[in-house]
Amino acid sequence: MDFELRRAREKLEREQKERKEKARQKLERERKAKQEAIKQREAIEAAQRLKRLDAAEAQLKADQQMEENLRAGRGVMFFRILEAVPYQGLGDKIKLPPSCFTELSDQGAFDKGPMYFQLSIVHQEVVMDNEACGVQNHRRTHCGVLEFTADEGSVALPSHVWNNLFHAVSPSAPLVEVRFVWLPKGSYAKLQPDGIGFSDIPNHRAVLETSLRQHATLSEGDLVTVNHGELTYKLRVLQLKPSQSVSVLETDIEVDIVGADSASESRNQPVLKPLVFGKSETGMVEEGDYSYYKFSIDGETSGKIECGNARVEVKIVTETEDGDTDLYVSRHPLLFPNRHQHEWSSHDMGSKSLILGSKDNGLAAGTYSIGVYGFKGKTKFEVSVAVEDTSNQKLGQQATSTSSSLDLDSVECRNCKHYIPARTISLHEAYCVRHNIPCQHQGCNVVLRVEEAKNHVHCEKCEKAFQRSELEKHMKVFHEPLSCPCGVVLEKEQMVQHQSSDCPLRLITCRFCGDMVQAGTTTMDVRDRLRGLSEHESICGSRTAPCDSCGRAVMLKDMDIHQIAVHQKN
């Protein structure tokens, strides 16, 4: 009996213990479920709070961006992503589609003065994924606008803007962000030629000023292209004031041109190497190529040359037997003389010397260029320039002529036509007839040694006398037809005259802008023709400038007449 009661009691205790354990576990599960629910609710609230913060921050950034755009555009909010296409044009003015004109006009952009735009390259992948949100840009420049005639969805870029924006990269369908901005007027610019040779241009600052007239803006890091005749120079914008991008319209900018970086020198661009009087320089020239040098004549030396007491000798000594060169010399502003354009030349075989003296028109103080042309083969040479004093030679020549004038007892030799003393004329004629032969060509009258007569020939076209070995080069240089870019075909001497005075493509220095430009055809204005103005000068002189005396705006080509007629100034 006791045993059964004990078992019953143990069973009851065990059941109570199990119920208590189940109740405890249930409470524990409920407690954990409450904690998990609290954590989930806190996580949801935190996520919602972060989302609200992100939305508020995005809205703030959008408001700030809009405020910046409005401030940059001075109240004009204009932003487009367009496909860039190149077009052949000078300067930095782009072409926009007509819809941009409507949008800008509606916002009153045309009432705020000249319009400027910021151009940036757009990552196309980002734009296609989310055009409204993330637009990432790299490399930017600024420009003006030329007209609103581009196709819808595209923007036409001139070569200056295209090269500065894309550099060496030329994508097939690039997208460009076009944003309306306001730019301050520039007050200072530091430029560096991307190579050497730009400082050799006469009035290179005036040439740069002429090129900048085609620009509306400048941005740091851009390359500005300057054309000088057939030559092209690039200058990098290093620094601008008062900001990194400025307007260059209707403003005076102080420009500093620093030395060129020799590491960026272009091998294809001809360079003038300086020469020192009396010191030779060694060079090598390939057939058909040029090597260029320069030297300067100061006022004192020019005075001696003009009086006949000095002369300039340009000398080339060839060191290669199977090669030959031609020598061309010109005075600046013609920087690089060639077969078509030069003032003096020498085409002797082998070594050659060109003497410039008082009888040479145009020889005065200034800078001169020497062009060594590879006529045949690869030639190694030495070029030198020297100033020779001729005052002592002139005294010696006067003394000789005086002494010869005193000898009146002389007879003309019937063979060589020289005057010989009468006492020795018979002996001289006997010797002269055996050893000397006068040239039978009409007008030549050159007396040659018998052994030299077979090498003495005359050109059939110009009748000049040469050695037989020089005739082939003479025919090729002087009588081979040359083609001018304007379409005229002439021989060498006529071509030089044509390109110096008649060719519409010849380069002249504009009397108004100082740049070397193409002369062009005859101007339509009769008064300009009477003044001797070229086509370019007629257009360039039509620009106005304030008179220094009265401040009135007068055309540049009428400024001298205005000074005489209004202010009685010569």
mmCIF file with all atom_site columns, all heavy atoms in Angstrom, residues 112-129:
data_model
loop_
_atom_site.group_PDB
_atom_site.id
_atom_site.type_symbol
_atom_site.label_atom_id
_atom_site.label_alt_id
_atom_site.label_comp_id
_atom_site.label_asym_id
_atom_site.label_entity_id
_atom_site.label_seq_id
_atom_site.pdbx_PDB_ins_code
_atom_site.Cartn_x
_atom_site.Cartn_y
_atom_site.Cartn_z
_atom_site.occupancy
_atom_site.B_iso_or_equiv
_atom_site.pdbx_formal_charge
_atom_site.auth_seq_id
_atom_site.auth_comp_id
_atom_site.auth_asym_id
_atom_site.auth_atom_id
_atom_site.pdbx_PDB_model_num
ATOM 1   N N   . LYS A 1 112 ? 20.836 88.904 -71.589 1.00 0.00 ? 112 LYS A N   1
ATOM 2   C CA  . LYS A 1 112 ? 21.903 88.951 -70.579 1.00 0.00 ? 112 LYS A CA  1
ATOM 3   C C   . LYS A 1 112 ? 23.284 89.095 -71.211 1.00 0.00 ? 112 LYS A C   1
ATOM 4   O O   . LYS A 1 112 ? 24.297 88.866 -70.563 1.00 0.00 ? 112 LYS A O   1
ATOM 5   C CB  . LYS A 1 112 ? 21.853 87.693 -69.703 1.00 0.00 ? 112 LYS A CB  1
ATOM 6   C CG  . LYS A 1 112 ? 20.546 87.554 -68.942 1.00 0.00 ? 112 LYS A CG  1
ATOM 7   C CD  . LYS A 1 112 ? 20.549 86.348 -68.054 1.00 0.00 ? 112 LYS A CD  1
ATOM 8   C CE  . LYS A 1 112 ? 19.222 86.217 -67.320 1.00 0.00 ? 112 LYS A CE  1
ATOM 9   N NZ  . LYS A 1 112 ? 18.981 87.347 -66.400 1.00 0.00 ? 112 LYS A NZ  1
ATOM 10  N N   . GLY A 1 113 ? 23.350 89.450 -72.499 1.00 0.00 ? 113 GLY A N   1
ATOM 11  C CA  . GLY A 1 113 ? 24.640 89.643 -73.149 1.00 0.00 ? 113 GLY A CA  1
ATOM 12  C C   . GLY A 1 113 ? 25.110 88.382 -73.855 1.00 0.00 ? 113 GLY A C   1
ATOM 13  O O   . GLY A 1 113 ? 24.310 87.484 -74.163 1.00 0.00 ? 113 GLY A O   1
ATOM 14  N N   . PRO A 1 114 ? 26.422 88.284 -74.171 1.00 0.00 ? 114 PRO A N   1
ATOM 15  C CA  . PRO A 1 114 ? 26.953 87.095 -74.860 1.00 0.00 ? 114 PRO A CA  1
ATOM 16  C C   . PRO A 1 114 ? 26.667 85.822 -74.075 1.00 0.00 ? 114 PRO A C   1
ATOM 17  O O   . PRO A 1 114 ? 26.682 85.813 -72.842 1.00 0.00 ? 114 PRO A O   1
ATOM 18  C CB  . PRO A 1 114 ? 28.455 87.374 -74.940 1.00 0.00 ? 114 PRO A CB  1
ATOM 19  C CG  . PRO A 1 114 ? 28.584 88.855 -74.804 1.00 0.00 ? 114 PRO A CG  1
ATOM 20  C CD  . PRO A 1 114 ? 27.469 89.282 -73.900 1.00 0.00 ? 114 PRO A CD  1
ATOM 21  N N   . MET A 1 115 ? 26.391 84.757 -74.795 1.00 0.00 ? 115 MET A N   1
ATOM 22  C CA  . MET A 1 115 ? 26.057 83.482 -74.169 1.00 0.00 ? 115 MET A CA  1
ATOM 23  C C   . MET A 1 115 ? 27.280 82.568 -74.180 1.00 0.00 ? 115 MET A C   1
ATOM 24  O O   . MET A 1 115 ? 27.975 82.455 -75.193 1.00 0.00 ? 115 MET A O   1
ATOM 25  C CB  . MET A 1 115 ? 24.896 82.808 -74.908 1.00 0.00 ? 115 MET A CB  1
ATOM 26  C CG  . MET A 1 115 ? 23.577 83.530 -74.712 1.00 0.00 ? 115 MET A CG  1
ATOM 27  S SD  . MET A 1 115 ? 22.199 82.627 -75.441 1.00 0.00 ? 115 MET A SD  1
ATOM 28  C CE  . MET A 1 115 ? 22.602 82.769 -77.175 1.00 0.00 ? 115 MET A CE  1
ATOM 29  N N   . TYR A 1 116 ? 27.519 81.933 -73.056 1.00 0.00 ? 116 TYR A N   1
ATOM 30  C CA  . TYR A 1 116 ? 28.626 80.995 -72.907 1.00 0.00 ? 116 TYR A CA  1
ATOM 31  C C   . TYR A 1 116 ? 28.075 79.666 -72.412 1.00 0.00 ? 116 TYR A C   1
ATOM 32  O O   . TYR A 1 116 ? 27.079 79.615 -71.673 1.00 0.00 ? 116 TYR A O   1
ATOM 33  C CB  . TYR A 1 116 ? 29.671 81.525 -71.927 1.00 0.00 ? 116 TYR A CB  1
ATOM 34  C CG  . TYR A 1 116 ? 30.121 82.930 -72.231 1.00 0.00 ? 116 TYR A CG  1
ATOM 35  C CD1 . TYR A 1 116 ? 29.685 83.999 -71.442 1.00 0.00 ? 116 TYR A CD1 1
ATOM 36  C CD2 . TYR A 1 116 ? 30.968 83.200 -73.299 1.00 0.00 ? 116 TYR A CD2 1
ATOM 37  C CE1 . TYR A 1 116 ? 30.088 85.292 -71.712 1.00 0.00 ? 116 TYR A CE1 1
ATOM 38  C CE2 . TYR A 1 116 ? 31.374 84.491 -73.573 1.00 0.00 ? 116 TYR A CE2 1
ATOM 39  C CZ  . TYR A 1 116 ? 30.931 85.533 -72.783 1.00 0.00 ? 116 TYR A CZ  1
ATOM 40  O OH  . TYR A 1 116 ? 31.317 86.816 -73.061 1.00 0.00 ? 116 TYR A OH  1
ATOM 41  N N   . PHE A 1 117 ? 28.757 78.584 -72.796 1.00 0.00 ? 117 PHE A N   1
ATOM 42  C CA  . PHE A 1 117 ? 28.317 77.244 -72.425 1.00 0.00 ? 117 PHE A CA  1
ATOM 43  C C   . PHE A 1 117 ? 29.504 76.438 -71.925 1.00 0.00 ? 117 PHE A C   1
ATOM 44  O O   . PHE A 1 117 ? 30.625 76.600 -72.409 1.00 0.00 ? 117 PHE A O   1
ATOM 45  C CB  . PHE A 1 117 ? 27.675 76.533 -73.618 1.00 0.00 ? 117 PHE A CB  1
ATOM 46  C CG  . PHE A 1 117 ? 26.443 77.212 -74.142 1.00 0.00 ? 117 PHE A CG  1
ATOM 47  C CD1 . PHE A 1 117 ? 26.533 78.197 -75.112 1.00 0.00 ? 117 PHE A CD1 1
ATOM 48  C CD2 . PHE A 1 117 ? 25.192 76.880 -73.643 1.00 0.00 ? 117 PHE A CD2 1
ATOM 49  C CE1 . PHE A 1 117 ? 25.413 78.839 -75.593 1.00 0.00 ? 117 PHE A CE1 1
ATOM 50  C CE2 . PHE A 1 117 ? 24.064 77.519 -74.112 1.00 0.00 ? 117 PHE A CE2 1
ATOM 51  C CZ  . PHE A 1 117 ? 24.169 78.495 -75.089 1.00 0.00 ? 117 PHE A CZ  1
ATOM 52  N N   . GLN A 1 118 ? 29.204 75.572 -70.960 1.00 0.00 ? 118 GLN A N   1
ATOM 53  C CA  . GLN A 1 118 ? 30.190 74.623 -70.459 1.00 0.00 ? 118 GLN A CA  1
ATOM 54  C C   . GLN A 1 118 ? 29.910 73.266 -71.094 1.00 0.00 ? 118 GLN A C   1
ATOM 55  O O   . GLN A 1 118 ? 28.787 72.750 -71.015 1.00 0.00 ? 118 GLN A O   1
ATOM 56  C CB  . GLN A 1 118 ? 30.120 74.515 -68.933 1.00 0.00 ? 118 GLN A CB  1
ATOM 57  C CG  . GLN A 1 118 ? 31.057 73.465 -68.342 1.00 0.00 ? 118 GLN A CG  1
ATOM 58  C CD  . GLN A 1 118 ? 30.899 73.363 -66.843 1.00 0.00 ? 118 GLN A CD  1
ATOM 59  O OE1 . GLN A 1 118 ? 31.310 74.248 -66.095 1.00 0.00 ? 118 GLN A OE1 1
ATOM 60  N NE2 . GLN A 1 118 ? 30.289 72.277 -66.393 1.00 0.00 ? 118 GLN A NE2 1
ATOM 61  N N   . LEU A 1 119 ? 30.928 72.690 -71.716 1.00 0.00 ? 119 LEU A N   1
ATOM 62  C CA  . LEU A 1 119 ? 30.797 71.388 -72.364 1.00 0.00 ? 119 LEU A CA  1
ATOM 63  C C   . LEU A 1 119 ? 31.570 70.344 -71.577 1.00 0.00 ? 119 LEU A C   1
ATOM 64  O O   . LEU A 1 119 ? 32.733 70.569 -71.208 1.00 0.00 ? 119 LEU A O   1
ATOM 65  C CB  . LEU A 1 119 ? 31.327 71.445 -73.801 1.00 0.00 ? 119 LEU A CB  1
ATOM 66  C CG  . LEU A 1 119 ? 30.694 72.480 -74.737 1.00 0.00 ? 119 LEU A CG  1
ATOM 67  C CD1 . LEU A 1 119 ? 31.294 72.355 -76.124 1.00 0.00 ? 119 LEU A CD1 1
ATOM 68  C CD2 . LEU A 1 119 ? 29.193 72.324 -74.784 1.00 0.00 ? 119 LEU A CD2 1
ATOM 69  N N   . SER A 1 120 ? 30.927 69.207 -71.317 1.00 0.00 ? 120 SER A N   1
ATOM 70  C CA  . SER A 1 120 ? 31.554 68.109 -70.585 1.00 0.00 ? 120 SER A CA  1
ATOM 71  C C   . SER A 1 120 ? 31.226 66.803 -71.272 1.00 0.00 ? 120 SER A C   1
ATOM 72  O O   . SER A 1 120 ? 30.106 66.619 -71.786 1.00 0.00 ? 120 SER A O   1
ATOM 73  C CB  . SER A 1 120 ? 31.076 68.059 -69.127 1.00 0.00 ? 120 SER A CB  1
ATOM 74  O OG  . SER A 1 120 ? 31.266 69.305 -68.483 1.00 0.00 ? 120 SER A OG  1
ATOM 75  N N   . ILE A 1 121 ? 32.203 65.911 -71.272 1.00 0.00 ? 121 ILE A N   1
ATOM 76  C CA  . ILE A 1 121 ? 31.965 64.571 -71.816 1.00 0.00 ? 121 ILE A CA  1
ATOM 77  C C   . ILE A 1 121 ? 31.113 63.777 -70.837 1.00 0.00 ? 121 ILE A C   1
ATOM 78  O O   . ILE A 1 121 ? 31.313 63.842 -69.621 1.00 0.00 ? 121 ILE A O   1
ATOM 79  C CB  . ILE A 1 121 ? 33.292 63.841 -72.083 1.00 0.00 ? 121 ILE A CB  1
ATOM 80  C CG1 . ILE A 1 121 ? 34.104 64.598 -73.133 1.00 0.00 ? 121 ILE A CG1 1
ATOM 81  C CG2 . ILE A 1 121 ? 33.051 62.421 -72.558 1.00 0.00 ? 121 ILE A CG2 1
ATOM 82  C CD1 . ILE A 1 121 ? 35.436 63.959 -73.423 1.00 0.00 ? 121 ILE A CD1 1
ATOM 83  N N   . VAL A 1 122 ? 30.157 63.012 -71.360 1.00 0.00 ? 122 VAL A N   1
ATOM 84  C CA  . VAL A 1 122 ? 29.239 62.233 -70.537 1.00 0.00 ? 122 VAL A CA  1
ATOM 85  C C   . VAL A 1 122 ? 29.551 60.757 -70.734 1.00 0.00 ? 122 VAL A C   1
ATOM 86  O O   . VAL A 1 122 ? 29.738 60.295 -71.860 1.00 0.00 ? 122 VAL A O   1
ATOM 87  C CB  . VAL A 1 122 ? 27.773 62.515 -70.923 1.00 0.00 ? 122 VAL A CB  1
ATOM 88  C CG1 . VAL A 1 122 ? 26.832 61.636 -70.125 1.00 0.00 ? 122 VAL A CG1 1
ATOM 89  C CG2 . VAL A 1 122 ? 27.446 63.978 -70.689 1.00 0.00 ? 122 VAL A CG2 1
ATOM 90  N N   . HIS A 1 123 ? 29.621 59.998 -69.611 1.00 0.00 ? 123 HIS A N   1
ATOM 91  C CA  . HIS A 1 123 ? 29.733 58.546 -69.695 1.00 0.00 ? 123 HIS A CA  1
ATOM 92  C C   . HIS A 1 123 ? 28.421 57.992 -70.224 1.00 0.00 ? 123 HIS A C   1
ATOM 93  O O   . HIS A 1 123 ? 27.387 58.068 -69.559 1.00 0.00 ? 123 HIS A O   1
ATOM 94  C CB  . HIS A 1 123 ? 30.034 57.934 -68.320 1.00 0.00 ? 123 HIS A CB  1
ATOM 95  C CG  . HIS A 1 123 ? 31.448 58.129 -67.897 1.00 0.00 ? 123 HIS A CG  1
ATOM 96  N ND1 . HIS A 1 123 ? 32.504 57.511 -68.517 1.00 0.00 ? 123 HIS A ND1 1
ATOM 97  C CD2 . HIS A 1 123 ? 31.976 58.895 -66.914 1.00 0.00 ? 123 HIS A CD2 1
ATOM 98  C CE1 . HIS A 1 123 ? 33.631 57.871 -67.916 1.00 0.00 ? 123 HIS A CE1 1
ATOM 99  N NE2 . HIS A 1 123 ? 33.335 58.714 -66.941 1.00 0.00 ? 123 HIS A NE2 1
ATOM 100 N N   . GLN A 1 124 ? 28.441 57.392 -71.379 1.00 0.00 ? 124 GLN A N   1
ATOM 101 C CA  . GLN A 1 124 ? 27.201 56.974 -72.021 1.00 0.00 ? 124 GLN A CA  1
ATOM 102 C C   . GLN A 1 124 ? 26.509 55.851 -71.247 1.00 0.00 ? 124 GLN A C   1
ATOM 103 O O   . GLN A 1 124 ? 25.298 55.779 -71.198 1.00 0.00 ? 124 GLN A O   1
ATOM 104 C CB  . GLN A 1 124 ? 27.484 56.520 -73.457 1.00 0.00 ? 124 GLN A CB  1
ATOM 105 C CG  . GLN A 1 124 ? 28.089 57.623 -74.313 1.00 0.00 ? 124 GLN A CG  1
ATOM 106 C CD  . GLN A 1 124 ? 28.216 57.205 -75.748 1.00 0.00 ? 124 GLN A CD  1
ATOM 107 O OE1 . GLN A 1 124 ? 27.336 56.549 -76.286 1.00 0.00 ? 124 GLN A OE1 1
ATOM 108 N NE2 . GLN A 1 124 ? 29.300 57.585 -76.371 1.00 0.00 ? 124 GLN A NE2 1
ATOM 109 N N   . GLU A 1 125 ? 27.318 54.974 -70.596 1.00 0.00 ? 125 GLU A N   1
ATOM 110 C CA  . GLU A 1 125 ? 26.689 53.865 -69.866 1.00 0.00 ? 125 GLU A CA  1
ATOM 111 C C   . GLU A 1 125 ? 25.833 54.390 -68.728 1.00 0.00 ? 125 GLU A C   1
ATOM 112 O O   . GLU A 1 125 ? 24.736 53.925 -68.471 1.00 0.00 ? 125 GLU A O   1
ATOM 113 C CB  . GLU A 1 125 ? 27.755 52.911 -69.310 1.00 0.00 ? 125 GLU A CB  1
ATOM 114 C CG  . GLU A 1 125 ? 28.568 52.192 -70.374 1.00 0.00 ? 125 GLU A CG  1
ATOM 115 C CD  . GLU A 1 125 ? 29.652 53.094 -70.959 1.00 0.00 ? 125 GLU A CD  1
ATOM 116 O OE1 . GLU A 1 125 ? 29.860 54.192 -70.408 1.00 0.00 ? 125 GLU A OE1 1
ATOM 117 O OE2 . GLU A 1 125 ? 30.267 52.699 -71.964 1.00 0.00 ? 125 GLU A OE2 1
ATOM 118 N N   . VAL A 1 126 ? 26.355 55.417 -68.025 1.00 0.00 ? 126 VAL A N   1
ATOM 119 C CA  . VAL A 1 126 ? 25.611 55.964 -66.891 1.00 0.00 ? 126 VAL A CA  1
ATOM 120 C C   . VAL A 1 126 ? 24.332 56.624 -67.365 1.00 0.00 ? 126 VAL A C   1
ATOM 121 O O   . VAL A 1 126 ? 23.281 56.492 -66.767 1.00 0.00 ? 126 VAL A O   1
ATOM 122 C CB  . VAL A 1 126 ? 26.501 56.960 -66.123 1.00 0.00 ? 126 VAL A CB  1
ATOM 123 C CG1 . VAL A 1 126 ? 25.731 57.614 -64.986 1.00 0.00 ? 126 VAL A CG1 1
ATOM 124 C CG2 . VAL A 1 126 ? 27.739 56.249 -65.605 1.00 0.00 ? 126 VAL A CG2 1
ATOM 125 N N   . VAL A 1 127 ? 24.419 57.337 -68.492 1.00 0.00 ? 127 VAL A N   1
ATOM 126 C CA  . VAL A 1 127 ? 23.244 58.028 -69.003 1.00 0.00 ? 127 VAL A CA  1
ATOM 127 C C   . VAL A 1 127 ? 22.172 57.036 -69.425 1.00 0.00 ? 127 VAL A C   1
ATOM 128 O O   . VAL A 1 127 ? 20.988 57.229 -69.195 1.00 0.00 ? 127 VAL A O   1
ATOM 129 C CB  . VAL A 1 127 ? 23.652 58.939 -70.182 1.00 0.00 ? 127 VAL A CB  1
ATOM 130 C CG1 . VAL A 1 127 ? 22.428 59.602 -70.784 1.00 0.00 ? 127 VAL A CG1 1
ATOM 131 C CG2 . VAL A 1 127 ? 24.636 59.990 -69.691 1.00 0.00 ? 127 VAL A CG2 1
ATOM 132 N N   . MET A 1 128 ? 22.562 55.920 -70.048 1.00 0.00 ? 128 MET A N   1
ATOM 133 C CA  . MET A 1 128 ? 21.574 54.944 -70.499 1.00 0.00 ? 128 MET A CA  1
ATOM 134 C C   . MET A 1 128 ? 20.925 54.243 -69.320 1.00 0.00 ? 128 MET A C   1
ATOM 135 O O   . MET A 1 128 ? 19.760 53.883 -69.364 1.00 0.00 ? 128 MET A O   1
ATOM 136 C CB  . MET A 1 128 ? 22.252 53.927 -71.431 1.00 0.00 ? 128 MET A CB  1
ATOM 137 C CG  . MET A 1 128 ? 22.631 54.521 -72.792 1.00 0.00 ? 128 MET A CG  1
ATOM 138 S SD  . MET A 1 128 ? 23.239 53.294 -73.951 1.00 0.00 ? 128 MET A SD  1
ATOM 139 C CE  . MET A 1 128 ? 24.772 52.837 -73.173 1.00 0.00 ? 128 MET A CE  1
ATOM 140 N N   . ASP A 1 129 ? 21.683 54.043 -68.208 1.00 0.00 ? 129 ASP A N   1
ATOM 141 C CA  . ASP A 1 129 ? 21.096 53.367 -67.054 1.00 0.00 ? 129 ASP A CA  1
ATOM 142 C C   . ASP A 1 129 ? 20.125 54.279 -66.310 1.00 0.00 ? 129 ASP A C   1
ATOM 143 O O   . ASP A 1 129 ? 19.036 53.888 -65.964 1.00 0.00 ? 129 ASP A O   1
ATOM 144 C CB  . ASP A 1 129 ? 22.208 52.897 -66.098 1.00 0.00 ? 129 ASP A CB  1
ATOM 145 C CG  . ASP A 1 129 ? 23.024 51.779 -66.727 1.00 0.00 ? 129 ASP A CG  1
ATOM 146 O OD1 . ASP A 1 129 ? 22.519 51.161 -67.682 1.00 0.00 ? 129 ASP A OD1 1
ATOM 147 O OD2 . ASP A 1 129 ? 24.162 51.557 -66.277 1.00 0.00 ? 129 ASP A OD2 1
#
